Amino acid sequence: MKDTTLKEKIKYPNIIKLSVSSWLLYPNSFHMGYERILNPNHSIYIFGGYNEFPVKLDLNLSNTNFTNSRNKTGYTIGAEFRFYLPKENKYEAPHGIYLAPYMSYYNFSSSNTLTHTDSSGSQSANLSMGIDLFNIGFELGYQFVIAKRFIEDAEMFGPSFTYYTFKANMNGELDGQTQNETLQAVLDALKAKFPLLSDL
């Protein structure tokens, strides 16, 4: 009975996945993955796709707001090595609880228009931003094999060490504000959305 089950699973060592959770984190995104079963307890999983930075920033600047956003884009790539725990699982890979060290990289970039309006009229400047995140971490998850060709992958816990870089460039000036003041307001708005950035 065990040999028959193993042979049946080896018939489907390649698993292609579509990420549903990415749509919850990044409304404009499309992430896919590929898992290759190496043996009853191990697999390699690679993933990647398109995503846009979803956050709208509120600047603490008088009469100054983002009025247009264009060229929003981004992508992610990553890989993990999965250990399916034989003592905890009734079934062999890819069914059951797993531990996985992983690496991932996220890139977000956008070009926005900042507009300042006062009694003398309005002025606009273009603000380009780029954010890169490189993660190394460890993940706990459980994968359900509902049918031979249908799998649900639940990643439950995945802390990581993350390296961030942020770049911003503004073309143009707004009345009553220097470029440094405007860029500082953008950084403060990002910190308000992501409190951990304040510590980095």
Side-chain angles (χ1 to χ4, degrees):
M1 183 67 178
K2 184 176 181 180
D3 290 339
T4 303
T5 304
L6 180 58
K7 290 179 181 179
E8 186 69 22
K9 290 185 180 297
I10 290 177
K11 288 182 181 180
Y12 307 103
N14 304 302
I15 303 168
I16 296 176
K17 302 177 183 179
L18 175 65
S19 174
V20 177
S21 60
S22 66
W23 295 330
L24 301 176
L25 297 173
Y26 312 106
N28 296 320
S29 65
F30 184 78
H31 291 184
M32 294 196 68
Y34 167 73
E35 184 175 3
R36 172 71 180 186
I37 308 303
L38 303 176
N39 57 48
N41 298 316
H42 302 94
S43 73
I44 294 177
Y45 179 52
I46 58 175
F47 55 90
Y50 172 83
N51 45 245
E52 294 181 1
F53 197 55
V55 174
K56 291 185 178 181
L57 300 178
D58 297 320
L59 301 181
N60 188 25
L61 292 174
S62 178
N63 301 320
T64 303
N65 295 291
F66 287 107
T67 55
N68 188 26
S69 179
R70 57 188 186 278
N71 299 328
K72 288 178 66 175
T73 187
Y75 64 91
T76 181
I77 56 174
E80 58 188 59
F81 189 85
R82 295 187 171 186
F83 298 86
Y84 288 87
L85 307 180
K87 293 184 179 180
E88 304 294 332
N89 295 326
K90 179 180 178 181
Y91 304 100
E92 295 169 339
H95 192 166
I97 192 169
Y98 62 84
L99 296 174
Y102 70 89
M103 294 189 300
S104 64
Y105 172 76
Y106 287 82
N107 169 271
F108 303 95
S109 61
S110 66
S111 179
N112 304 270
T113 300
L114 274 172
T115 300
H116 175 79
T117 304
D118 56 25
S119 58
S120 63
S122 63
Q123 306 83 36
S124 295
N126 184 70
L127 176 66
S128 299
M129 293 187 294
I131 301 176
D132 299 286
L133 302 92
F134 180 70
N135 309 289
I136 298 177
F138 207 82
E139 177 181 272
L140 171 67
Y142 192 95
Q143 191 157 253
F144 301 86
V145 179
I146 300 173
K148 293 177 183 177
R149 299 289 189 177
F150 189 82
I151 285 177
E152 182 177 347
D153 191 355
E155 300 171 356
M156 297 180 289
F157 183 68
S160 69
F161 293 99
T162 301
Y163 176 75
Y164 297 81
T165 61
F166 172 73
K167 298 178 182 179
N169 181 56
M170 191 171 77
N171 293 318
E173 292 188 2
L174 305 177
D175 285 354
Q177 298 166 195
T178 67
Q179 286 191 353
N180 285 340
E181 288 173 336
T182 304
L183 292 176
Q184 185 60 51
V186 172
L187 285 172
D188 291 340
L190 283 169
K191 291 176 185 177
K193 291 288 185 179
F194 302 98
L196 286 177
L197 290 178
S198 300
D199 300 325
L200 298 176

